[in-house]
Amino acid sequence: MSENFSHPNAQPFLLEAGEDAVLLIHGFTGAPGHMRVIGEAVQKAGFTARGIRLPGHGETVEKMMQSGAQQWLDACREAYQEMCGRYRHVSVGGLSMGGILATLLAEEFEPACLVLFAPAMKYRSQLNYLSPVVKYLCPTLRWPSNLGRKDFLYEYDYGYEKIPVRKVEDMTHLQRKACAGLAAVTCPTLVIQSHKDEQVHISVPEIVTRGVSSRVREICWVDNSSHVCTIGPDRAYVCARVIDFLRRYGV
């Protein structure tokens, strides 16, 4: 993972195409680059794609410590509402914590559809839930390295190399809020996750699809990617499934 946030692939993006659009939200400590491959694919399919950068991200860990759950959610709300004023239909999609934020938007508004990439509705490690204590012992922790992973797009892998542990509490707050309100989601919902995801619990796709009130609820499993499945070995298949879903429900 690189912290060279000046690189074009790490920047927010707006890829114009048609009247139907999708808002793409990156994850905790990440950057828009994790969503850019999806954005480029859906643009080629005729959808406008916008990838935002959450407050406190894409700068420094110290900046992230000054941001929090409410700021992250407000930024997503603002972007979604701006897009609703410009495009015919707007769908929302997010990776990991971005999936939590996308779900919260779907609970509050009425997007055309909801696409979740390994949404962090339940952690694989119980250590994440101990962040109120761990933050005093280890203010920051280092993310596992992605180096050595086969067929992984390192040129899109931008984010902080360290985890500001205190901010995990903010993510957990959003997680609990999203899980509690799942029944308010009525739009078509697609959940994509890898069997090799090292961050998000394997039960999450079932948690989401059983919890939402949507008539259309689909799960897509992939087998070769890690948590960031948007730029992993399964990315072509992931993009194809997203485009298919948007063509069916995002127009």
Side-chain angles (χ1 to χ4, degrees), residues 182-197:
L182 280 174
V185 177
T186 58
C187 65
T189 300
L190 170 65
V191 186
I192 302 172
Q193 189 166 324
S194 174
H195 285 114
K196 293 183 178 178
D197 193 314

Side-chain angles (χ1 to χ4, degrees), residues 51-71:
I52 62 170
R53 181 174 58 202
L54 297 173
H57 292 71
E59 297 180 271
T60 64
V61 171
E62 290 72 27
K63 283 284 187 181
M64 187 172 176
M65 293 292 283
Q66 298 169 21
S67 67
Q70 193 61 52
Q71 289 173 284

Side-chain angles (χ1 to χ4, degrees), residues 185-189 212-217 249:
V185 177
T186 58
C187 65
T189 300
V212 299
S213 299
S214 313
R215 181 180 59 84
V216 176
R217 294 170 280 186
Y249 304 111

